Structure formats: C-alpha cells, structure tokens
Amino acid sequence: MAQVKMQTARTTLKEPVAAAEDLFKQLGGVVPKLVMMYASRERDQVALNRAVRERLPKGCRLVGSTTGGELDNTGIYYGSVVLGALWGDFDVGIGLGTGLTNDAVSSGGAAIKRACEELGVRQSDLDPRKYVGLVIDDGFRYKKEELLLGILEKNQTLVLVGGGASDDNRDPAKQSALLHVDGEVATDSVLVALFRTNAPWGALRSHWYIPTNERMTITKVDETHTRALEIDNKPAVLRYAEMLGVEPTDLEFGTPKGFAVRPTALKVGREYFIRTPWKPILEDNSILFANLLEEGSELELMKLGDMAGMTKQFFAEELPRRVQNPQAALLFHCGGRMWYAHATGKVPELAETLRSAPTAAGMNVHFEIYSGFHINTTLTVLAFGSN
C-alpha cells in the first residue's frame, strides 16, 4: 500500500521561538519528510524559518511562503502560521529560481532543473503518472506565464499546481512576498517542489461559476498583452458592459454587478479555466487582465453560482472521486475569491466548507497555477491519498 498523510498545526503566537514551540507541540510525534509553512507577512520570516528548522527531524525539507490569509480545516485566518507536516510514500526534490523580474523563463527553468537533480531524474523523463509539481511564486511580480514556460520547456506533460506568495496588506504600495526553501528566505523568486509517489494524487481546481455559452473574442490588445483594447471589434469596456447589461462603472471586480459576478473563462476541452478581468480603464475603455492576452482568442462568459455550496460539493464529492482515500490536501485559495466573499458576507459559509476537506493546510494566494495555466478566482489543490 502507498500513501501520503499530513498533520497540521496553527499558531497565533508572534515571537518566532514561541510560535515554533507551539506548532511542534501540536504536531506531536509526527516525523515528516516535508513541512509546508504558510505564514502571515508581518512576521520576522528569517527568525521564524530558523526556529522552525531547528525543530525539524534530520533530512526533513521546509517549503512555504507568506500569505494573504492562512487555511486549515477549522477555517480561514489572518495573522497566524499554519504548518502541514507530510510523511509517507513519496520523495521530493526542491528547486528555487531567483530573478523573476529580469528573466522569469530562466527562473522557472532553474527551479525545475534543481528539483529534478535532487531526485536524480531528467526533466524529459518525468512520468506524469508518478510526478507532480507544486509551484509557489512571488505573486507580486506578475510573471506566472513566463515562469511556467521555463518549468515546462523540456516536458509539457508535467502536471503543476500552486499559487502566488502573498500579503494580507491591501495597500499595493506596501505589498510584498517571501518564499521559504529550507534555510533560505527569498523574494522575486519561484520554487518548485517536485513529488514522486506511487500513492494516489490529484491536481484539482474548484470555482463557483457556471458556463453560459456566451462568447467574446479579444480583437485588439495593447503592447503589454495585458489590456484588452477591443472585444468583438468594439471598445472593450463598452462591449463587456453591453453583454452584462450594466454601466461601465459597474464592472470593477468585487462590485455587485461586475467582473466577479460575470467573469470570463478559457475553455480547454471540458475544463473552464477562469481568467477574470481585473480592472476597467475608463479613460480609454480598455480592460486590464491579470493574465496575458492574445488577439483572436475566444473567452466564454460565466455566471456566479452557489459560492459555498459548490465549494463544499468539491471537497465532499469531487475530490474523493478523483483521489482514492484522500488523506492530505494542500490548498491555494484565490485572494480574489476572499475579496468577493468579504464583500458579500459569505466568508463564514466559505470557511465552514473546509471542514468537508481531508486534512488540509493552505493559504490565500495572489493568483493561481493549474495544469500549466495562470488562472484566477479559483481554488487549486494538490491532494494525496492511499491505495
């Protein structure tokens, strides 16, 4: 029998040594191979890293990041540290790629190269049935699509899941993110944790939207490929507002009639990858997206479903159907989902759904990674089970 299991712990203590002591007391006698650490940004990350590593068993690896909020089975929190201690039938190789801002493709390539070297496998030989990559990047560098090109350059079949390290500070001028890779605390970077296992696993995603069969075509973009200038050959803001039957000023993400209620999605096979527009630019009627845009690409308009109900159904029904005897779930929950849940008063209901998940640890992220795509307004999950 092959299995991967996880024990979690959470603390609100601020002093690094006291926090580490509290966390490891909760873990009890568990001897993990890998510890995932999700820590609120305002903490002294270097001191916390040191305190946690001093208490790890010999050979145990440490990976994690700062967050926009921390998750476990009891809820969604701010200002805490959550640990997920994993053990069982798996090996893990870890790589860190630095310099995202200057060359994200090379950063992604360096991270996966190092992870493969630690496992003694060539990138081109990664069997997608036995290997899966967990990716955490500095979300505020906005380089997911480029770094994914680097990670997948030598093997496009590798399954990836993860999200952007974040910060619960809402002021864009003050936001920053840090990654933890063993004893290193880094910014402007991306990490890859490459798992090799014969245990059941699944890279999954959940969103709370329903397709409408209404489509739009991005007909003109700006030079950065992040702003739609025209949709269906009309000014982007005016066309999107026309399709929703609202005023252009109603489109802002988080408003009752805007992008969060009626986002766009890229359809790939039977999957809908949510790529919600971010901001309407009313000065020139363009729309800023978080992901890169290509002229001529077709997107489907979605509509909001039952936020808490669809998330609970994912944990209670879809995840066990996809992963045999699920034992552990690493969660990468979109900060935009949290923003909208706060705006609509749905946070308690959303937090309650985590009780339906297998043993879980995770964070609110700054945009998500799933199957090689940069997506948003989604919960992405790496789950392990037993056979």
Side-chain angles (χ1 to χ4, degrees), residues 224-332:
T224 69
H225 288 262
T226 59
R227 282 194 303 132
L229 302 179
E230 293 183 0
I231 294 174
D232 297 334
N233 296 308
K234 298 179 180 180
V237 163
L238 301 183
R239 175 58 176 153
Y240 210 109
E242 177 186 37
M243 294 186 75
L244 269 57
V246 301
E247 295 299 320
T249 51
D250 293 329
L251 290 176
E252 186 76 33
F253 189 96
T255 57
K257 301 178 183 178
F259 293 140
V261 181
R262 300 293 305 277
T264 50
L266 178 67
K267 187 177 182 182
V268 181
R270 295 183 178 181
E271 293 264 19
Y272 289 89
F273 295 160
I274 305 299
R275 292 187 154 198
T276 309
W278 194 358
K279 298 177 182 179
I281 312 298
L282 300 181
E283 290 79 7
D284 64 0
N285 286 318
S286 65
I287 296 175
L288 177 65
F289 281 70
N291 55 276
L292 296 179
L293 299 169
E294 184 177 353
E295 289 185 359
S297 58
E298 186 178 74
L299 300 174
E300 181 153 345
L301 196 61
M302 309 289 280
K303 66 178 180 180
L304 185 67
D306 179 351
M307 293 189 290
M310 293 175 75
T311 306
K312 182 176 181 179
Q313 185 179 39
F314 166 75
F315 283 130
E317 299 178 19
E318 182 178 350
L319 195 155
R321 186 169 62 248
R322 298 271 300 276
V323 180
Q324 184 180 353
N325 300 318
Q327 304 290 314
L330 301 174
L331 311 180
F332 303 91

Side-chain angles (χ1 to χ4, degrees), residues 3 16 96 170 172 179 262:
Q3 65 177 354
L96 178 69
R170 301 297 298 173
L179 307 184
R262 300 293 305 277

Side-chain angles (χ1 to χ4, degrees), residues 103-346:
D103 190 348
V105 174
S106 294
S107 297
I112 187 63
K113 182 175 185 290
R114 178 59 179 165
C116 286
E117 288 173 348
E118 289 198 354
L119 291 178
V121 61
R122 296 191 306 174
Q123 295 176 54
S124 58
D125 293 336
L126 294 173
D127 183 342
R129 295 168 296 182
K130 294 184 178 181
Y131 291 86
V132 60
L134 181 153
V135 181
I136 302 176
D137 67 300
D138 180 340
F140 299 114
R141 306 296 169 159
Y142 302 99
K143 293 291 184 179
K144 283 185 176 59
E145 280 153 319
E146 294 99 321
L147 69 87
L148 287 171
L149 288 174
I151 295 174
L152 295 172
E153 181 180 12
K154 296 183 178 179
N155 191 327
Q156 289 77 45
T157 66
L158 178 64
V159 176
L160 302 173
V161 65
S166 191
D167 189 337
D168 60 12
N169 191 318
R170 301 297 298 173
D171 183 351
K174 297 179 179 179
Q175 290 175 325
S176 62
L178 293 170
L179 307 184
H180 291 267
V181 180
D182 291 325
E184 188 166 358
V185 178
T187 189
D188 196 19
S189 302
V190 56
L191 70 85
V192 175
L194 182 64
F195 290 86
R196 177 172 59 202
T197 183
N198 289 316
W201 61 268
L204 305 98
R205 66 95 187 95
S206 173
H207 58 74
W208 47 45
Y209 296 103
I210 301 167
T212 65
N213 206 34
E214 297 178 72
R215 296 180 177 86
M216 63 178 70
T217 301
I218 306 297
T219 47
K220 188 176 182 180
V221 301
D222 76 334
E223 65 279 0
T224 69
H225 288 262
T226 59
R227 282 194 303 132
L229 302 179
E230 293 183 0
I231 294 174
D232 297 334
N233 296 308
K234 298 179 180 180
V237 163
L238 301 183
R239 175 58 176 153
Y240 210 109
E242 177 186 37
M243 294 186 75
L244 269 57
V246 301
E247 295 299 320
T249 51
D250 293 329
L251 290 176
E252 186 76 33
F253 189 96
T255 57
K257 301 178 183 178
F259 293 140
V261 181
R262 300 293 305 277
T264 50
L266 178 67
K267 187 177 182 182
V268 181
R270 295 183 178 181
E271 293 264 19
Y272 289 89
F273 295 160
I274 305 299
R275 292 187 154 198
T276 309
W278 194 358
K279 298 177 182 179
I281 312 298
L282 300 181
E283 290 79 7
D284 64 0
N285 286 318
S286 65
I287 296 175
L288 177 65
F289 281 70
N291 55 276
L292 296 179
L293 299 169
E294 184 177 353
E295 289 185 359
S297 58
E298 186 178 74
L299 300 174
E300 181 153 345
L301 196 61
M302 309 289 280
K303 66 178 180 180
L304 185 67
D306 179 351
M307 293 189 290
M310 293 175 75
T311 306
K312 182 176 181 179
Q313 185 179 39
F314 166 75
F315 283 130
E317 299 178 19
E318 182 178 350
L319 195 155
R321 186 169 62 248
R322 298 271 300 276
V323 180
Q324 184 180 353
N325 300 318
Q327 304 290 314
L330 301 174
L331 311 180
F332 303 91
H333 185 245
C334 177
R337 280 168 59 102
M338 282 305 301
W339 183 7
Y340 193 69
H342 277 293
T344 54
K346 295 289 186 179

